[in-house]
């Protein structure tokens, strides 16, 4: 065989390898092909090509493995069991930028599925190499490394700590200062994933000056970047008062309120989440939010969106109202109660209804004035129907019941209470009758209206155990009226009157 023929054989072999990895990489983009590729043993065929002498074959083989591993946990596990990770980590340090991006993609695709698979990446020494890639001159390599590190850190505190210990955080903060938007997004997302697990991990992000840089990007025109920035700040602020105060000190108010009007729903949601995580800690932080117009802005935001986008805003209003009478009144003045009532009635998802019920309970539980503000929106009957409905989730039933009780125990607005005399179960009825027993002795108009509306008659029909709290309340109500009036509305009185008619003997003329 001549030298020319030998070269042709090698050329054909290289061409066949190239075609093979390109075809597998292409087939792996379509879910319907995955199982067939797996059954054909494609993993074992791709593995030696990661060390091919031709760089483009190496890169395409890595890309194909990444696409397969990205598809599901079983394929990702096959990458681990096939002993492919050590080869990737070795090549990640040695090869060109195209290979580095492909190798980091494989690590990300494997690590995203479970803590166990992410731990396998840590165990093979990938973190140090990925952190080195954060210093690469190529933004695409930095982005791929940041993405992989974020996917590892998101699972739990231990993996997140491993990423921190590898020295990733200062470099991720440098990455959010780079000009490339895509790199900023992924770096902010990774910082969010690291911060979310514990105050200590969030503090490591704060200690390298992340908050100031994140806060500066709140008004960036890129919606996807804003989502990640707001998420990262939320994950930092949620852990403690000190961390929340540090976020506030970066002067995010009132700037962050503009995000509540953003055209991107997830920017709205993440902005509401950030405000919620700050508001929940102390009355002082909630007051700051009120003072900057945050409660009114969140109320408007809830009115402009639907579903889960509303949820953090609903909870934020509840947290603010829970702190004090004054803050709850600020929520009422911002016209939040009608908006929450709409959420309670309109939202199809039980967990959103439950949040609205909880928030309304926090608003109405302070004073009669607060309770009336909730009661006049006709919210109480809706809460009762949700509590009584067998279709409601257990959480929705529980939160509706608690909200009803906390509002009723302060409510002196009798027109809102009266329907409960007819519809409420005994455990709720007790609180309703209790409120009537508190108000009627001191309000002559209410006493008269209670008779003409049929309320007094209904009270006489309630069966209460002798000596029970409910019976005490009924006795207290009855003592507000002349004895003959009470007797007149008592069950059986009309029969007794008729018997007296039957037995009455008129005097003869």
């Amino acid at each position: 065989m001549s030298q020319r023929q030998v070269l042709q054989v090698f050329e054909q072999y290289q061409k066949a390898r190239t075609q093979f990895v390109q075809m597998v990489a292409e087939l792996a983009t379509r879910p319907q092909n995955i199982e067939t590729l797996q059954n054909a043993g494609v993993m074992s065929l791709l593995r030696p090509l990661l060390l091919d002498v031709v760089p483009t074959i190496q890169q395409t083989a890595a890309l194909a493995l990444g696409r397969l591993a990205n598809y599901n946990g079983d394929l990702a596990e096959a990458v681990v069991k096939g002993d492919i990770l050590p080869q990737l980590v070795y090549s990640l340090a040695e090869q060109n930028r195209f290979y580095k991006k492909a190798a980091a993609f494989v690590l990300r695709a494997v690590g995203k599925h479970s803590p166990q698979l992410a731990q396998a990446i840590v165990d093979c020494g990938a973190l140090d190499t990925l952190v080195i890639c954060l210093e690469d001159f190529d933004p695409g390599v930095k982005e791929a490394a940041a993405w992989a590190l974020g996917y590892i850190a998101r699972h739990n505190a231990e993996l997140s700590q491993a990423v921190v210990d590898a020295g990733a955080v200062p470099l991720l903060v440098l990455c959010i200062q780079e000009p490339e938007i895509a790199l900023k997004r992924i770096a902010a997302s990774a910082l969010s994933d690291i911060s979310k697990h514990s105050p200590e991990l969030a503090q490591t992000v704060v200690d390298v000056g992340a908050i100031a840089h994140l806060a500066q990007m709140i008004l960036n025109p890129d919606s996807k970047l804003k989502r990640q920035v707001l998420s990262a700040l939320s994950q930092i602020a949620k852990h403690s008062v000190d961390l929340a105060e540090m976020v506030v000190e970066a002067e995010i108010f009132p700037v962050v309120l503009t995000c509540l009007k953003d055209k991107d729903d997830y920017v709205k949601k993440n902005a509401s989440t950030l405000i919620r995580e700050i508001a929940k800690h102390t009355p002082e932080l909630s007051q700051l939010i009120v003072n900057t117009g945050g409660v009114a802005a969140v109320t408007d935001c809830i009115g402009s969106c639907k579903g889960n986008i509303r949820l953090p805003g609903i909870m934020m209003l509840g947290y603010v109202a829970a702190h004090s009478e004054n803050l709850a009144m600020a929520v009422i003045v911002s016209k939040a109660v009608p908006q929450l009532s709409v959420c309670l009635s309109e939202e199809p998802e039980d967990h959103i209804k439950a949040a609205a019920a909880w928030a309304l309970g926090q608003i109405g539980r302070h004073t009669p004035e607060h309770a009336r503000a909730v009661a006049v929106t006709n919210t109480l009957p809706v809460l009762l129907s949700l509590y009584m409905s067998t279709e409601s989730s257990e959480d929705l039933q529980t939160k509706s019941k608690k909200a009803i009780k906390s509002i009723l125990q302060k409510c002196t607005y009798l027109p809102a209470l009266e329907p409960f005399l007819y519809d409420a179960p005994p455990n709720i009825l007790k609180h309703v009758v209790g409120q009537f027993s508190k108000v009627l002795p001191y309000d002559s108009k209410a006493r008269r209206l209670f008779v003409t509306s049929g309320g007094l008659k209904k009270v006489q029909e309630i069966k209460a155990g002798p000596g029970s709290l409910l019976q005490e309340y009924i006795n207290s109500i009855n003592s507000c009226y002349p004895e003959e009036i009470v007797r007149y509305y008592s069950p059986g009185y009309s029969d007794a009157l008729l018997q007296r008619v039957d037995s009455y003997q008129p005097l003869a003329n």
Side-chain angles (χ1 to χ4, degrees), residues 212-233:
H213 296 295
L214 289 166
Q216 287 171 4
M217 291 188 282
I218 287 174
L219 288 181
N220 191 289
D222 184 77
S223 293
K224 289 179 181 175
L225 176 58
K226 277 192 283 194
R227 290 182 197 175
Q228 302 302 341
V229 165
L230 293 165
S231 173
L233 290 169

Side-chain angles (χ1 to χ4, degrees), residues 90-255:
Y90 169 76
S91 302
L92 194 61
E94 302 291 324
Q95 297 292 342
N96 64 32
R97 60 197 171 105
F98 300 108
Y99 186 87
K100 286 178 181 178
K101 281 189 268 190
F105 169 55
V106 181
L107 295 173
R108 173 184 117 208
V110 171
K112 79 172 191 177
H113 293 289
S114 71
Q116 293 75 22
L117 288 167
Q119 187 63 54
I121 292 171
V122 174
D123 293 342
C124 73
L127 292 184
D128 290 339
T129 314
L130 285 168
V131 168
I132 291 168
C133 288
L134 290 177
E135 297 184 273
D136 199 274
F137 72 93
D138 183 83
V141 173
K142 291 180 184 177
E143 184 187 331
W147 213 333
L149 290 164
Y151 271 41
I152 293 165
R154 70 173 48 178
H155 290 293
N156 58 43
E158 291 75 22
L159 287 163
S160 189
Q161 188 64 55
V163 171
V164 169
D165 293 343
V169 173
L171 295 171
L172 287 169
V173 173
L174 286 174
C175 287
I176 62 174
Q177 299 169 62
E178 295 282 351
E180 292 81 13
I181 290 291
L183 178 56
K184 286 178 185 283
R185 286 180 198 154
I186 302 306
S189 174
L191 290 169
S192 178
D193 287 328
I194 291 166
S195 302
K196 72 182 182 181
H197 300 290
S198 71
E200 294 75 23
L201 285 162
Q203 191 66 53
T204 62
V205 173
V206 172
D207 288 344
V208 291
I211 290 176
H213 296 295
L214 289 166
Q216 287 171 4
M217 291 188 282
I218 287 174
L219 288 181
N220 191 289
D222 184 77
S223 293
K224 289 179 181 175
L225 176 58
K226 277 192 283 194
R227 290 182 197 175
Q228 302 302 341
V229 165
L230 293 165
S231 173
L233 290 169
S234 301
Q235 299 293 5
I236 293 167
K238 76 179 185 182
H239 292 292
S240 69
V241 176
D242 289 344
L243 287 167
E245 286 176 347
M246 287 180 189
V247 172
V248 169
E249 284 163 10
E251 298 181 356
I252 64 164
F253 290 103
V255 175

Side-chain angles (χ1 to χ4, degrees), residues 163-485:
V163 171
V164 169
D165 293 343
V169 173
L171 295 171
L172 287 169
V173 173
L174 286 174
C175 287
I176 62 174
Q177 299 169 62
E178 295 282 351
E180 292 81 13
I181 290 291
L183 178 56
K184 286 178 185 283
R185 286 180 198 154
I186 302 306
S189 174
L191 290 169
S192 178
D193 287 328
I194 291 166
S195 302
K196 72 182 182 181
H197 300 290
S198 71
E200 294 75 23
L201 285 162
Q203 191 66 53
T204 62
V205 173
V206 172
D207 288 344
V208 291
I211 290 176
H213 296 295
L214 289 166
Q216 287 171 4
M217 291 188 282
I218 287 174
L219 288 181
N220 191 289
D222 184 77
S223 293
K224 289 179 181 175
L225 176 58
K226 277 192 283 194
R227 290 182 197 175
Q228 302 302 341
V229 165
L230 293 165
S231 173
L233 290 169
S234 301
Q235 299 293 5
I236 293 167
K238 76 179 185 182
H239 292 292
S240 69
V241 176
D242 289 344
L243 287 167
E245 286 176 347
M246 287 180 189
V247 172
V248 169
E249 284 163 10
E251 298 181 356
I252 64 164
F253 290 103
V255 175
V256 74
L257 302 183
T258 60
C259 296
L260 295 170
K261 295 180 179 176
D262 199 273
K263 62 182 183 295
D264 185 283
D265 277 346
Y266 289 97
V267 171
K268 287 182 183 178
K269 184 182 180 183
N270 290 2
S272 298
T273 303
L274 172 56
I275 299 166
R276 178 193 74 192
E277 298 299 358
I278 293 167
K280 74 181 183 184
H281 289 294
T282 65
E284 292 75 21
L285 285 168
S286 280
Q287 189 63 57
L288 181 144
I289 291 166
V290 170
N291 294 346
T292 57
V295 172
V298 168
T299 301
D300 290 343
C301 178
I302 290 170
S304 70
C305 53
K306 300 284 182 190
N308 279 316
I309 309 299
R310 279 175 158 169
L311 187 58
I314 292 169
M315 293 177 70
M316 175 266 178
L317 294 172
Y319 280 128
V320 172
H323 286 303
S324 71
E325 287 180 21
N326 289 341
L327 286 165
M329 190 51 69
V331 173
I332 291 167
V333 169
S334 297
K335 299 183 173 59
V337 175
Q339 201 59 258
L340 289 169
S341 298
V342 167
C343 296
L344 192 69
S345 301
E346 286 185 0
E347 281 295 333
E349 298 285 341
D350 276 12
H351 68 282
I352 301 173
K353 288 179 186 284
W358 170 78
L360 287 162
Q362 298 305 317
I363 295 165
R365 69 181 174 84
H366 294 284
T367 70
E369 193 179 356
H370 291 81
R372 179 176 178 138
V374 176
V376 295
T377 60
N378 204 34
T379 294
L380 288 169
V382 179
L383 285 168
L384 182 63
S385 68
L386 291 170
Y387 166 55
M388 301 280 285
S389 173
T390 54
E391 293 181 5
S392 294
S393 68
E394 188 179 340
D395 183 52
L396 176 54
Q397 288 178 328
T398 302
K399 287 194 167 63
S400 297
K401 179 184 172 185
K402 283 185 179 176
I404 291 166
K405 284 186 173 181
S406 57
I407 295 164
L408 286 180
Q409 284 167 353
K410 294 294 180 181
C411 187
T412 56
Y413 180 60
L414 300 188
L417 295 180
E418 203 157 311
F420 278 69
L421 290 173
Y422 301 90
D423 302 327
N427 60 334
I428 301 290
L429 186 62
K430 173 178 65 180
H431 299 287
V432 176
V433 177
Q435 289 308 104
F436 278 107
S437 74
K438 291 176 193 173
V439 175
L440 292 174
Y442 307 102
D443 190 334
S444 59
K445 283 184 181 176
R447 287 198 296 273
R448 180 184 176 86
L449 187 62
F450 195 56
V451 174
T452 56
S453 67
L456 184 62
K457 180 176 185 292
K458 182 61 186 172
V459 165
Q460 306 315 309
E461 295 168 2
I462 295 170
K463 291 178 174 62
S468 66
L469 190 60
L470 180 56
Q471 188 60 58
E472 283 182 34
Y473 291 150
I474 292 170
N475 293 342
S476 178
I477 291 170
N478 289 345
S479 68
C480 297
Y481 296 95
E483 193 178 334
E484 62 269 25
I485 291 287

